[in-house]
Amino acid sequence: MWQIVLYVNPLSVSLFVVASALASILLARWIEAAPVERERLARILFLSSLAVTLLATLMPTQMPGSGTRHVSLSLGGAFFGPESVAMQSMERRMATATSVANAAMFVPVAIFWYHATARRAFSVARVLVGCFSLSLGIEIVQLAMNAGRVVDVDDVLFNTTGALVGLLVAWASSRWAGKRLRAGQRTRLLSG
């Protein structure tokens, strides 16, 4: 994941959020217009984003079972814990970039999951709980693998925060696209 962290800066994060919002708006418009085909596309995008997330988080950095387990159970430890006092500015920037990358990683997962299940009785709360469970599961697998990954409660917090941002974007774009589509249909009916 550190390779990804090197590219986390205000410009890259802004571009990522804009691209995610645009993808969500396009999916929402397409789902309103042709739900079955577009939900298939949303499912493919969801599974693809899920695969990338699992690959990025579960790829071993050393041989499984060969290292010491690194577990951080202090909430906000990199920012407010005792180890944060001794951090240099470079380490603090790296911790911030890692947290932002963890949040950003779950934005598309939540957006595409929401759109893949938009026509079913699958609520925003269920997707959020699903993303939380996925993040917790990733951390448990990282602990069991013992392959050079740091197991951190903050990862779950930031992953879930990213999922919440993604869900808000997906929900807002879905509502916006639905209103625009209904307004366009009304205009065509009145003019026709």
Side-chain angles (χ1 to χ4, degrees), residues 25 30 126 139 147 158-159 171 177:
I25 289 168
W30 287 339
R126 286 185 186 178
E139 295 302 311
F158 285 106
N159 291 158
W171 178 80

Side-chain angles (χ1 to χ4, degrees), residues 50-88:
L50 180 62
V52 168
T53 299
L54 291 174
L55 185 64
T57 56
L58 297 178
M59 179 76 69
T61 58
Q62 62 191 43
M63 290 298 293
S66 65
T68 58
R69 284 190 168 89
H70 302 285
V71 179
S72 174
L73 296 178
S74 60
L75 194 59
F79 302 102
F80 310 112
E83 62 268 10
S84 70
V85 175
M87 285 179 131
Q88 301 296 322

Side-chain angles (χ1 to χ4, degrees), residues 29 174-188:
R29 294 241 7 206
S174 186
R175 295 209 16 120
W176 178 79
K179 284 181 183 177
R180 289 205 35 140
L181 187 68
R182 286 188 294 278
Q185 289 169 344
R186 276 193 299 255
T187 304
R188 280 192 296 274

